[in-house]
Amino acid sequence: LAVPYIKGRGVPDWNADAKAMLSGITLATTRTELFKSFVEGLFLEFRNHLDTFSKYVPLGTIYVSGDMTKSETIDQLLADVIGMEIVCRDDRESTARGAWLVALAGLGRFATVDEAIQAFPPEGGERRYVPDAAKAEAYRRKQKEMNALYLSWKQTR
């Protein structure tokens, strides 16, 4: 299990002193297992952020893009860890496009961002990844374990 706070922790408690930790390592642990646990830890922290965010707004499908989304294995892992459907778009300019669509809605050109998206649908293809329910539940337990490990470290400071 990896706690991924190399440069501190953000949501929900903003702790610049938080440290990365590894738990459950033996002499038989491979580099591949270490790498996977670190990626899982990053995704579990993303799930922490989504859990916090969902207290304020309902969440549905998560749209992602960028170089890391070129790996179908990583994309499916993300869907399983966060327990939500992931849509990967082939749009290289998704950040600029998203800002433009939000600006159009903010300026009143469209009533909502969803209307702007409907008027200007993204170009290129997309891939969808649906979480495996059993894996998502296992990752929910792992998330609780990761958060408990962090809290136990925090309480000793």
Side-chain angles (χ1 to χ4, degrees):
L1 178 66
V3 179
Y5 308 133
I6 292 175
K7 295 184 84 176
R9 184 176 196 216
V11 173
D13 68 347
W14 304 101
N15 182 353
D17 296 325
K19 306 290 185 218
M21 293 174 269
L22 294 170
S23 173
I25 300 172
T26 69
L27 290 174
T29 303
T30 66
R31 284 186 276 178
T32 301
E33 292 169 324
L34 285 174
F35 177 74
K36 183 180 182 206
S37 70
F38 188 73
V39 172
E40 288 172 339
L42 291 172
F43 290 171
L44 288 169
E45 183 62 4
F46 183 49
R47 188 172 186 164
N48 282 336
H49 290 240
L50 292 173
D51 289 347
T52 299
F53 197 68
S54 69
K55 293 176 185 176
Y56 303 99
V57 295
L59 298 178
T61 302
I62 301 294
Y63 292 84
V64 297
S65 63
D67 285 341
M68 194 167 175
T69 64
K70 290 179 183 177
S71 167
E72 292 184 10
T73 302
I74 293 290
D75 297 337
Q76 185 61 56
L77 179 63
L78 177 60
D80 293 339
V81 171
I82 67 171
M84 298 176 74
E85 181 181 26
I86 300 294
V87 176
C88 299
R89 293 217 170 121
D90 295 331
D91 183 2
R92 292 269 185 221
E93 299 298 331
S94 60
T95 302
R97 185 177 177 283
W100 177 65
L101 294 170
V102 169
L104 287 174
L107 292 169
R109 174 83 162 75
F110 296 95
T112 66
V113 174
D114 286 336
E115 279 185 24
I117 291 170
Q118 294 300 321
F120 298 100
E123 296 178 8
E126 66 181 30
R127 299 173 321 280
R128 292 181 173 266
Y129 299 89
V130 177
D132 176 291
K135 289 180 181 178
E137 182 55 36
Y139 279 118
R140 177 63 78 183
R141 289 190 300 275
K142 202 171 208 180
Q143 177 191 21
K144 289 179 182 175
E145 185 181 343
M146 182 187 87
N147 290 337
L149 183 59
Y150 164 71
L151 288 175
S152 70
W153 169 85
K154 185 178 175 185
Q155 291 170 351
T156 64
R157 298 291 164 230

